[in-house]
């Protein structure tokens, strides 16, 4: 047999008041009811909790020990209620978002944190992938939307502008380039480039830029693994080209040199794509807005200060989530 929360609450009141009458008033019960609760509790525990005396009751040492445990139970019960109550602050739901590594690297975390705080009862499902796979998932209805490079719209999919980011040359820390200083790729000699496979839109854009600006490429190694690319570049004399918003926070990843590409500038436009057959739901719309605010904040930081986040005092995703 186990005591109930009601038994515990009445016992705590009687212990603190040293009076069954006062405990009854505090717990909206009768004095006889409190007495009966305590007798039942003592019978169940097999120990006397109170000495009944004229003018009140005196807790026994067993009651003092039991009281400490009862407080832990009541605190845990209150904490559980508070934790569950926060899920009632917003509607329940689910959203499925597709993101490129460009977005998951630095843009995602603050936006996701802000969204979860504002809508704790929404299930968030994030799928990381490259543009071709994400576009197919949007077409199939497996994703509510995705962020991909600007391309010719696919059947059944519509898109809108999301953010523009300058592209950067990423090399190892001791590459000899001045960190964050703009560079002309044509001045660097034949490049040994790490790029995704030829079907990747960004690969096609980079190769077209190099061809139109007489930038010599000595060799290309294909890596469709972003973490592997960054690790390989950090330990070799190979270089890669990545959007600046991915390399935020004073240049981003350690052991790397990051240089905005200039002469002419190279940038990437990202778009948000969604199925034509259904509108974006309210949860996904709010989340995309948070992502967009953070992406534009980082993009502005690079335009103004070469990667310094202090250069972009725009509203943070958390502030927007509270709006």
């Amino acid at each position: 047999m186990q005591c109930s929360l009601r038994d515990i609450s009445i016992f705590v009141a009687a212990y603190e008041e040293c009076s069954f009458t006062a405990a009854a008033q505090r717990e909206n019960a009768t004095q006889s009811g409190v007495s009966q609760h305590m007798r039942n509790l003592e019978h169940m525990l097999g120990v006397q909790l109170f000495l009944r005396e004229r003018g009140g009751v005196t807790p026994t040492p067993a009651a003092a020990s039991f009281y400490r445990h009862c407080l832990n139970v009541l605190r845990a019960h209150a904490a559980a209620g508070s934790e569950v109550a926060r899920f009632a602050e917003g509607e329940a739901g689910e959203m499925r978002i597709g993101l490129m590594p460009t977005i998951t690297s630095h843009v995602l975390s603050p936006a996701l944190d802000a969204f979860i705080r504002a809508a704790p009862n929404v299930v968030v499902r994030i799928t990381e992938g490259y543009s071709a796979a994400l576009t197919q998932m949007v077409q199939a209805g497996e994703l509510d939307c995705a962020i991909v490079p600007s391309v010719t719209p696919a059947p059944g999919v519509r898109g809108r502008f999301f953010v523009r980011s300058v592209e950067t040359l990423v090399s190892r820390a001791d590459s000899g380039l001045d960190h964050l200083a703009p560079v002309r790729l044509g001045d660097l000699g034949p490049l040994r480039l790490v790029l995704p496979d030829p079907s990747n839109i960004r690969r096609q854009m980079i190769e077209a830029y190099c061809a139109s600006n007489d930038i010599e490429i000595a060799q290309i190694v294909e890596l469709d693994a972003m973490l592997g690319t960054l690790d390989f570049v950090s330990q070799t004399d190979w270089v890669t080209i990545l959007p600046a918003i991915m390399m935020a926070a004073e240049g981003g990843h350690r052991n790397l040199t990051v240089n905005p590409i200039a002469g002419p500038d190279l940038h990437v436009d990202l778009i948000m794509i969604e199925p034509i057959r259904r509108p974006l739901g309210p949860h996904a719309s709010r989340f995309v807005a948070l992502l967009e605010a953070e992406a534009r904040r980082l993009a502005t930081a690079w335009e103004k200060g070469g990667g310094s986040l202090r250069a972009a005092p725009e509203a943070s995703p958390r502030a927007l989530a509270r709006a």
Side-chain angles (χ1 to χ4, degrees):
M1 182 177 180
Q2 296 180 342
C3 58
S4 66
L5 280 173
R6 181 62 173 164
D7 291 330
I8 290 174
S9 297
I10 290 176
F11 164 76
V12 167
Y15 181 91
E16 293 175 348
E17 299 291 346
C18 290
S19 167
F20 288 174
T21 301
Q25 294 174 345
R26 178 166 142 181
E27 291 295 314
N28 295 318
T30 63
Q31 189 275 336
S32 60
V34 170
S35 296
Q36 184 62 46
H37 270 283
M38 293 305 98
R39 282 194 298 269
N40 292 341
L41 195 55
E42 288 175 329
H43 177 73
M44 182 182 64
L45 296 174
V47 64
Q48 188 173 357
L49 297 174
F50 295 98
L51 300 176
R52 276 73 169 175
E53 301 171 337
R54 185 174 296 177
V57 293
T58 301
T60 64
S65 176
F66 187 55
Y67 172 74
R68 291 192 293 271
H69 290 288
C70 286
L71 290 183
N72 291 335
V73 171
L74 293 176
R75 278 195 292 264
H77 180 260
S82 297
E83 180 67 15
V84 172
R86 74 183 182 89
F87 288 96
E89 296 174 1
E91 296 180 1
E94 178 185 17
M95 65 178 189
R96 302 161 300 167
I97 310 295
L99 300 176
M100 300 166 55
T102 298
I103 300 298
T104 59
S105 180
H106 285 286
V107 176
L108 174 61
S109 293
L112 181 59
D113 178 59
F115 180 84
I116 292 174
R117 288 174 183 272
N121 213 22
V122 176
V123 177
V124 180
R125 304 189 189 280
I126 303 294
T127 298
E128 183 181 74
Y130 288 101
S131 56
L134 294 179
T135 300
Q136 290 175 359
M137 294 180 73
V138 172
Q139 288 176 303
E142 298 171 4
L143 295 173
D144 297 323
C145 66
I147 308 301
V148 298
S150 178
V151 293
T152 302
V157 171
R158 62 183 175 188
R160 69 163 180 82
F161 177 77
F162 183 76
V163 71
R164 167 172 287 190
S165 174
V166 298
E167 297 272 17
T168 63
L169 180 71
V170 182
S171 57
R172 67 185 185 186
D174 59 351
S175 63
L177 298 174
D178 293 332
H179 184 56
L180 301 182
V183 296
R184 293 172 52 92
L185 297 185
D187 297 338
L188 300 181
L191 298 176
R192 304 178 74 196
L193 275 175
V194 182
L195 296 174
D197 73 73
S199 66
N200 186 282
I201 299 301
R202 294 195 65 258
R203 162 78 175 265
Q204 299 169 19
M205 294 167 55
I206 291 169
E207 288 189 313
Y209 173 88
C210 291
S212 61
N213 289 282
D214 297 322
I215 297 167
E216 186 176 354
I217 299 176
Q219 192 175 358
I220 291 176
V221 63
E222 293 181 7
L223 268 179
D224 275 321
M226 186 56 65
L227 291 178
T229 295
L230 292 172
D231 185 60
F232 182 64
V233 168
S234 72
Q235 299 185 54
T236 68
D237 60 355
W238 287 75
V239 299
T240 191
I241 295 174
L242 296 172
I245 59 172
M246 186 178 176
M247 308 304 294
E250 303 296 344
H253 302 268
R254 297 179 180 179
N255 303 319
L256 295 171
T257 299
V258 182
N259 301 96
I261 296 172
D265 294 344
L266 177 60
H267 64 263
V268 59
D269 287 338
L270 301 181
I271 62 173
M272 187 276 289
I273 60 172
E274 59 183 319
I276 292 177
R277 62 185 177 273
R278 67 170 184 266
L280 198 61
H283 300 308
S285 295
R286 187 66 179 271
F287 183 66
V288 168
L290 294 171
L291 280 175
E292 189 172 6
E294 179 64 11
R296 292 189 178 188
R297 186 176 75 88
L298 296 178
T300 300
W302 273 95
E303 292 173 0
K304 293 182 178 180
S308 173
L309 299 186
R310 292 186 298 272
E314 296 180 14
S316 67
R318 186 172 298 177
L320 289 174
R322 293 194 300 265

